[in-house]
Amino acid sequence: MKIAILLSLFATAMAFPGLSSLQTWLASFQQPIMNLIENPYRKSTIPQFIIDTQHPWILANQRKLESLLNAEVFLCFNRNSDSHGNEIEGIEADLEIPPDLYENLTIDNHCADVFRPGWPNALERLTEINRCPLALAQVKNLHLGIYVYRGANADFWPKILEPSHPPSKLPALFGDILESMTRLESLTWAMGREEAHFFEEPFMARNFSLLSVTSLELGPSSHYLVGMCPNLERLESGGGWYESGGYSDETDWRVLFIQSAASATKLKRFAMDGSFAGWSPALATEAVKAMPQIENLGIRGSVGSSYITEDNDKFKDILKILAQLNNLTQIDLPYSSRLALGFDGGAWCGNAYEGKGGREYGRVVAEESAETTEKAGDMVMRSMRHLKRFEIRELAPNITRAENGTVTLVWPWTGRMDEWTFEVWPEEPDFEEVEYGVM
């Protein structure tokens, strides 16, 4: 009978997707039903957000914790708690909560083995965390990922349970929890542009500060969080970044992200993905204006369009502009085929690299990649001789400086190109499976 009622409600939610409250309520049954299917005899009082940490201690002791009368009280309250001390007394001594249990918390509905509606999952997990004083007091790193299922290609069940708007109390609950996390150091705010705008006005009106946060990783259009973190030292773009289009007034959200860094006077590290349009001299100019004090810079994605292989002066012009950053000591750059230097990266289809002929082709591509990387590295050092380190696709040369000022870059292939290409693409019998190195 109950199943029939639930099915009829599911049908109603699918027929009337605007019924956000109903969809949120129905979604609250998803995880309990999944747990029931997994193990019909399982009765757990462990909050789902704790299970989602995948902490080794939780995994090792999950069944024992589930046997407790109230695992939530045991896990979330101090033994000296006036209101719950008696409930915790007498619990087995070997169940000692590790001190790092709550250091890393994740709220994410679209990751490995987790497929839940975005808004309901956020509300449920935040409600659980808000009931857990130990989690609020001890968390240092919070990863938030909200993926809202919408469109024709969205998964069926999460889609029909997904409200078009977040629950009305969600922004305020987020604000309460963020203000309560007084030891929070790193915040990842990974959501798309359409989701991020729901929080901007409530958060700005609240006018709160996250004094302990020194690291932010933000999705597009979440730049409003930067000004709320006065002690910020690291700012990077994160989840949801690859979206086309901008605001309704055609404002480029990459520019807003860069400009927001101007309020972070203690910022040392900045990294941003150029998205589909890629980095341009105009974006580099904005970066110089917004953060003249920056020491560590990440140019991610591509220089120029990520759709096509360009061969122009964009990279040279960007380096010339960034050379104005006198405090810059390190810069990270994308793969050589993404630097608008004419190298296309070789064939993208894996079939092109199969067999003896494919490995020979792979060596040609590896050599072209190395030569383009060398070219890019020489351009970097000519423009910014004060750099102590730079990387091109996580590959850093050894930089040596002679007394006369000559700078020499030594790469893994320097003086041994043929040998290096065979290390990347070894000569093996066709029938053996080869694990290739990184170009």
Side-chain angles (χ1 to χ4, degrees), residues 401-437:
R401 292 179 169 87
E403 292 184 2
N404 62 1
T406 302
V407 177
T408 303
L409 303 179
V410 179
W411 300 89
W413 53 79
T414 300
R416 51 187 293 273
M417 181 67 80
D418 288 343
E419 182 182 348
W420 178 78
T421 59
F422 270 86
E423 290 174 359
V424 176
W425 293 95
E427 192 63 75
E428 297 287 346
D430 290 345
F431 57 84
E432 289 189 12
E433 184 174 341
V434 181
E435 183 176 345
Y436 299 114

Side-chain angles (χ1 to χ4, degrees), residues 7-298:
L7 288 175
S8 66
L9 289 171
F10 281 140
T12 302
M14 187 165 59
F16 301 98
L19 299 178
S20 297
S21 299
L22 175 60
Q23 288 171 299
T24 302
W25 178 75
L26 286 172
S28 67
F29 290 99
Q30 182 189 16
Q31 193 62 47
I33 290 174
M34 291 175 64
N35 292 341
L36 180 64
I37 293 172
E38 178 186 344
N39 186 346
Y41 302 101
R42 179 176 182 262
K43 293 183 179 179
S44 178
T45 56
I46 305 175
Q48 186 63 44
F49 88 92
I50 298 179
I51 297 175
D52 287 350
T53 65
Q54 293 294 289
H55 192 286
W57 183 83
I58 290 293
L59 299 178
N61 294 280
Q62 186 169 348
R63 295 309 180 200
K64 189 177 291 187
L65 290 165
E66 288 171 346
S67 69
L68 300 179
L69 183 63
N70 195 330
E72 180 176 1
V73 168
F74 171 70
L75 291 167
C76 288
F77 289 86
N78 193 293
R79 291 179 181 272
N80 299 322
S81 168
D82 293 335
S83 56
H84 296 281
N86 293 333
E87 296 179 57
I88 300 174
E89 285 294 326
I91 291 179
E92 298 172 71
D94 63 334
L95 283 177
E96 188 68 33
I97 300 175
D100 65 343
L101 177 60
Y102 296 115
E103 281 192 4
N104 303 291
L105 297 183
T106 297
I107 301 173
D108 199 333
N109 67 300
H110 194 70
C111 53
D113 299 323
V114 176
F115 297 97
R116 308 167 190 155
W119 296 126
N121 179 69
L123 180 61
E124 291 168 24
R125 302 294 81 78
L126 286 169
T127 301
E128 292 170 349
I129 293 172
N130 203 34
R131 295 199 307 260
C132 190
L134 285 181
L136 292 171
Q138 297 176 8
V139 61
K140 293 183 179 180
N141 307 295
L142 176 63
H143 173 94
L144 170 71
I146 297 180
Y147 177 83
V148 175
Y149 289 84
R150 59 167 65 92
N153 297 322
D155 293 339
F156 177 73
W157 284 112
K159 180 181 177 181
I160 68 171
L161 296 174
E162 187 73 79
S164 57
H165 291 71
S168 58
K169 60 183 178 181
L170 188 61
L173 180 59
F174 256 126
D176 291 340
I177 286 176
L178 288 174
E179 284 189 300
S180 299
M181 293 178 169
T182 54
R183 296 182 64 195
L184 186 65
E185 299 173 1
S186 176
L187 174 61
T188 298
W189 193 263
M191 63 181 76
R193 174 171 52 87
E194 294 183 23
E195 289 72 54
H197 84 272
F198 286 112
F199 297 95
E200 181 171 7
E201 186 175 333
F203 279 17
M204 296 297 289
R206 190 171 183 133
N207 193 30
F208 62 88
S209 294
L210 305 177
L211 299 178
S212 61
V213 173
T214 58
S215 175
L216 275 181
E217 187 172 323
L218 302 179
S221 304
S222 295
H223 54 278
Y224 50 86
L225 285 168
V226 177
M228 301 174 188
C229 304
N231 295 312
L232 195 64
E233 297 179 1
R234 171 183 168 270
L235 175 60
E236 301 193 8
S237 62
W241 202 247
Y242 264 82
E243 294 188 9
S244 58
Y247 284 55
S248 57
D249 61 357
E250 298 303 321
T251 302
D252 190 334
W253 37 261
R254 298 172 304 164
V255 174
L256 294 177
F257 184 68
I258 293 173
Q259 291 175 344
S260 71
S263 64
T265 57
K266 299 180 181 180
L267 197 65
K268 297 178 181 179
R269 161 74 176 176
F270 178 87
M272 188 189 77
D273 197 306
S275 191
F276 294 116
W279 274 81
S280 64
L283 288 180
T285 300
E286 291 290 346
V288 170
K289 289 192 296 185
M291 47 194 131
Q293 83 288 358
I294 204 69
E295 300 174 8
N296 191 317
L297 181 64

